[in-house]
Amino acid sequence: MGRKRTKSGKIRLAEVAELAGVSPITASRFFRNPEALSVAKRARVESAAKELGYVPNLAARALASQRTEVIGVLIPSLTNNVFSDVLRGIYDASEGSRYSIQLSNTRYSILQEEKLLRLFLAQKPAGLIVTGIDQTAESRLMLEAADCPIVQIMEIGPNPVDMMIGFSHYDAARAAVAHLYAQGCRKIGFVGARMDPRVQRRLDGYVSAVKDAGLFDQRLIVTTGTPTSVTLGGTLFTDLLARQPDIDAVFCANDDLALGVLFECRRREIAVPEQIAIVGFNDLEFMASSVPTLTSVRTNRYEMGKTAATMLIEAIDGRRPEQAVLDLGFKVIERQSSVLRRADSQPAVSGMVAG
């Protein structure tokens, strides 16, 4: 049974220290930097705090130190498997450190991101992890003025706010198209959904590759602003076939769409890859388990999250990385859905596949 509270109803740090058998300074040190205490003292203070229901005043601590021990993470989706892998890396890297993770979902809205950035920065975070490079002008100004390290993730660009880790969506899309050309495909469609800036760059890479090959056809592109899903992949593929029934390949902006295309091909008894080859993007786990298995562009999402959090924590502690911008690259993972092994195949676009 816990101890009786003071008249104000608030448990004081001195009470935690008394119950733990340590000085108030030692108890305070535990909440600022637990690694500075021995394992035994950490256990006693933590146990006492739990028994008394003590919660440290982060706002007061921020006023005293000019910084909380919170790392803010802004991502566009909490349900998208792509970002769940990134978050797993972030949490794994921060586990055991004195920093806690605070998540916010921007819902793919740059205005919502701006609002959340203002809220985060008012709380004096130790650092920020922000998705993408397409912030509003106001968000950019806030980030540049922020008194904490910042890592932009999921892509790379020429003008980082502070640190940046990701890959080129444009080059990755060109690599996917190059792979399909190497298999002998010539009428390659593109299906995309939601069309956030990263998906738009994949479309730009596709357009660049087919134009370089002299095979661009606007009718081969089907996109929508609707959020992505497997069902939507089948719908977009149906629209594509209505426009161009003689297509021989489809490059999908993500793996959900690719799986939807595969299901629609099975429903229509279209042989994959003999009649239509399919390539997705991100290489989620189910791509290697489908029948046939699905080719996809592998992006290093877990490593991206883990490395971003590691870079940020080291920068917070005064150890800046040698490279402020880190390109993790990508790789086209060739599987049954696109490997035709035609004897007359010649790549129309070369030098695009990256590891």
Side-chain angles (χ1 to χ4, degrees):
M1 187 174 179
R3 294 192 172 189
K4 189 180 292 185
R5 295 193 171 204
T6 59
K7 289 182 180 180
S8 66
K10 296 180 180 179
I11 298 296
R12 298 192 303 267
L13 182 62
E15 295 174 76
V16 176
E18 180 184 357
L19 182 58
V22 299
S23 69
I25 292 176
T26 299
S28 176
R29 188 178 297 126
F30 169 81
F31 293 106
R32 293 197 316 273
N33 184 14
E35 294 86 354
L37 274 63
S38 68
V39 174
K41 285 184 179 180
R42 285 205 304 264
R44 298 208 312 267
V45 176
E46 184 175 20
S47 176
K50 286 182 178 178
E51 181 176 341
L52 294 170
Y54 175 77
V55 178
N57 188 335
L58 295 179
R61 190 191 308 172
L63 288 173
S65 67
Q66 299 302 306
R67 181 174 290 179
T68 65
E69 290 175 349
V70 170
I71 291 174
V73 179
L74 280 75
I75 58 171
S77 173
L78 295 177
T79 57
N80 189 324
N81 286 333
V82 170
F83 294 104
S84 66
D85 289 339
V86 174
L87 288 175
R88 186 164 54 89
I90 290 173
Y91 277 108
D92 283 355
S94 61
E95 186 175 358
S97 75
R98 66 179 182 273
Y99 301 105
S100 58
I101 303 298
Q102 183 175 335
L103 289 177
S104 278
N105 182 2
T106 68
R107 298 177 180 268
Y108 292 95
S109 166
I110 57 174
L111 294 179
Q112 177 70 2
E113 180 185 55
E114 181 181 309
K115 177 181 176 181
L116 290 169
L117 274 175
R118 189 173 287 108
L119 176 63
F120 266 127
L121 291 170
Q123 296 172 349
K124 300 184 178 180
L128 287 174
I129 296 176
V130 182
T131 302
I133 59 177
D134 297 281
Q135 286 76 35
T136 65
E138 182 64 25
S139 291
R140 177 79 190 197
L141 287 173
M142 285 191 289
L143 288 171
E144 289 175 345
D147 185 26
C148 67
I150 295 164
V151 181
Q152 292 165 283
I153 62 171
M154 297 305 292
E155 53 189 318
I156 55 174
N159 190 24
V161 171
D162 184 7
M163 297 172 283
M164 182 181 290
I165 180 169
F167 65 97
S168 169
H169 293 256
Y170 176 91
D171 289 344
R174 284 185 60 92
V177 175
H179 162 70
L180 288 168
Y181 280 139
Q183 301 304 309
C185 302
R186 291 298 176 265
K187 288 198 171 184
I188 303 171
F190 177 93
V191 296
R194 192 180 285 279
M195 302 311 295
D196 64 80
R198 286 167 295 285
V199 176
Q200 184 61 54
R201 280 186 263 280
R202 293 169 206 170
L203 173 57
D204 292 344
Y206 160 86
V207 170
S208 173
V210 295
K211 282 186 174 180
D212 284 354
L215 296 171
F216 175 75
D217 184 343
Q218 185 66 44
R219 294 171 298 176
L220 292 170
I221 301 173
V222 178
T223 64
T224 177
T226 302
T228 189
S229 69
V230 173
T231 301
L232 183 60
T235 301
L236 295 176
F237 178 59
T238 298
D239 292 346
L240 182 59
L241 285 177
R243 295 185 184 192
Q244 287 289 85
D246 59 344
I247 61 172
D248 56 12
V250 184
F251 170 45
C252 302
N254 64 47
D255 291 340
D256 289 348
L257 298 177
L259 190 60
V261 171
L262 176 61
F263 287 164
E264 187 63 20
C265 284
R266 296 292 292 272
R267 192 181 73 80
R268 292 170 178 263
E269 298 184 346
I270 297 172
V272 176
E274 292 80 9
Q275 291 176 267
I276 290 183
I278 304 172
V279 174
F281 199 100
N282 282 314
D283 196 33
L284 298 176
E285 184 179 7
F286 62 75
M287 300 296 275
S289 303
S290 63
V291 179
T293 55
L294 283 160
T295 295
S296 188
V297 179
R298 177 171 293 170
T299 57
N300 303 300
R301 301 175 303 281
Y302 173 81
E303 293 79 4
M304 195 180 307
K306 187 173 184 179
T307 306
T310 300
M311 289 170 65
L312 190 68
I313 290 171
E314 289 181 351
I316 293 168
D317 292 340
R319 303 188 303 277
R320 301 286 303 184
E322 292 184 8
Q323 290 180 280
V325 178
L326 186 57
D327 185 353
L328 291 185
F330 54 85
K331 186 176 183 180
V332 178
I333 304 299
E334 300 180 6
R335 297 194 181 96
Q336 295 167 345
S337 70
S338 68
V339 179
L340 300 170
R341 305 191 186 285
R342 295 175 178 170
D344 61 345
S345 297
Q346 294 294 328
V349 182
S350 61
M352 294 295 170
V353 179

